[in-house]
Amino acid sequence: MYILRLNTAGQPVEWLTWQETVCLYSRELVHWSLGDIIYRIHGGYNRWHGDRTIIELPSIVACGGKRLFPCRNNPALSNYSLFERDNHQCLYCGRFFKTRELTRDHIVPKSKGGVDDWMNVVAACRRCNQFKGDKLLENSGMSLIALPYRPNAAEYLALVNSQRILPDQADYLRTQFSKNCRWKSRNRNTLSGILQPI
């Protein structure tokens, strides 16, 4: 499980490990937090009082630094994030597939000047990708069931951590999704099943 890091303005920045989050707490860089406690870290004992240090880590923390984090105008494109963006659905036939059954299709093929960019690629099943081949969309007799889009920072963070995202993290990120976003959380975990002290 990762912890969602925000800046103090509430913009999503990145995913943190529990170790990185403990460092932020120990350096007093966490300004506020949200969500349920997902880790309880037990430290050493105070030799004068005998008390043990315990740090409770919530699922979302807001840290100091730049008030407004620079926007990710063009987040990294990978097959994993592309298939998550398109919900593991072939955008030609509309059927849903497992990751290994999907391919990246260039709407405008590379051989015809198309680029490897969020706005020119879609998830496609092997059959549809093979049928379309090296043709332009208008020459293939095929059509898209949804248009491609470039994810914003919140959408991208949801895409790259979709298997481990917690419900409160997904809810927070969802408030910043664009109207184009089709992503749906596929994580079936409940907080009661994943709370564990370390």
Side-chain angles (χ1 to χ4, degrees):
M1 286 182 299
Y2 288 108
I3 294 165
L4 178 61
R5 178 184 175 188
L6 313 174
N7 63 17
T8 53
Q11 296 171 313
V13 175
E14 63 184 338
W15 293 107
L16 299 172
T17 63
W18 67 266
Q19 296 94 330
E20 292 167 323
T21 310
V22 167
C23 288
L24 291 172
Y25 268 102
S26 67
R27 294 169 53 205
E28 298 182 353
L29 293 174
V30 176
H31 291 266
W32 51 273
S33 62
L34 293 170
D36 295 314
I37 302 300
I38 58 172
Y39 289 110
R40 282 183 185 84
I41 310 303
H42 300 273
Y45 291 91
N46 182 309
R47 72 174 160 179
W48 288 287
H49 302 104
D51 297 332
R52 188 170 192 186
T53 305
I54 296 175
I55 298 177
E56 295 185 330
L57 302 178
S59 59
I60 303 169
V61 295
C63 302
K66 294 182 180 177
R67 184 154 179 79
L68 295 176
F69 198 78
C71 290
R72 287 189 181 117
N73 292 330
N74 198 15
L77 172 63
S78 67
N79 280 352
Y80 180 86
S81 55
L82 172 66
F83 300 160
E84 286 294 328
R85 180 198 74 178
D86 294 342
N87 285 315
H88 287 77
Q89 184 177 24
C90 172
L91 291 193
Y92 293 113
C93 69
R95 292 178 32 216
F96 293 90
F97 294 90
K98 294 179 180 173
T99 300
R100 67 179 183 274
E101 299 168 327
L102 288 170
T103 61
R104 181 188 304 193
D105 181 63
H106 294 80
I107 299 167
V108 176
K110 284 181 156 184
S111 64
K112 298 195 175 11
V115 293
D116 200 32
D117 179 75
W118 286 102
M119 300 302 289
N120 189 47
V121 294
V122 294
C125 67
R126 295 184 188 285
R127 182 178 165 276
C128 288
N129 197 344
Q130 201 168 28
F131 180 79
K132 180 178 174 283
D134 204 21
K135 299 184 279 273
L136 292 169
L137 199 56
E138 57 267 18
N139 299 333
S140 68
M142 302 172 79
S143 60
L144 291 168
I145 63 169
L147 295 175
Y149 67 93
R150 181 176 290 112
N152 65 28
E155 293 162 348
Y156 184 71
L157 286 173
L159 296 176
V160 298
N161 195 36
S162 62
Q163 296 296 322
R164 294 175 296 231
I165 196 166
L166 299 174
D168 54 351
Q169 294 169 336
D171 290 342
Y172 186 86
L173 290 173
R174 199 173 276 116
T175 64
Q176 299 185 33
F177 286 179
S178 68
K179 64 181 179 186
N180 299 321
C181 187
R182 298 181 295 270
W183 177 81
K184 294 181 181 90
S185 176
R186 294 184 300 133
N187 186 349
R188 304 281 190 266
N189 290 332
T190 61
L191 282 176
S192 60
I194 55 178
L195 280 176
Q196 52 186 314
I198 292 183

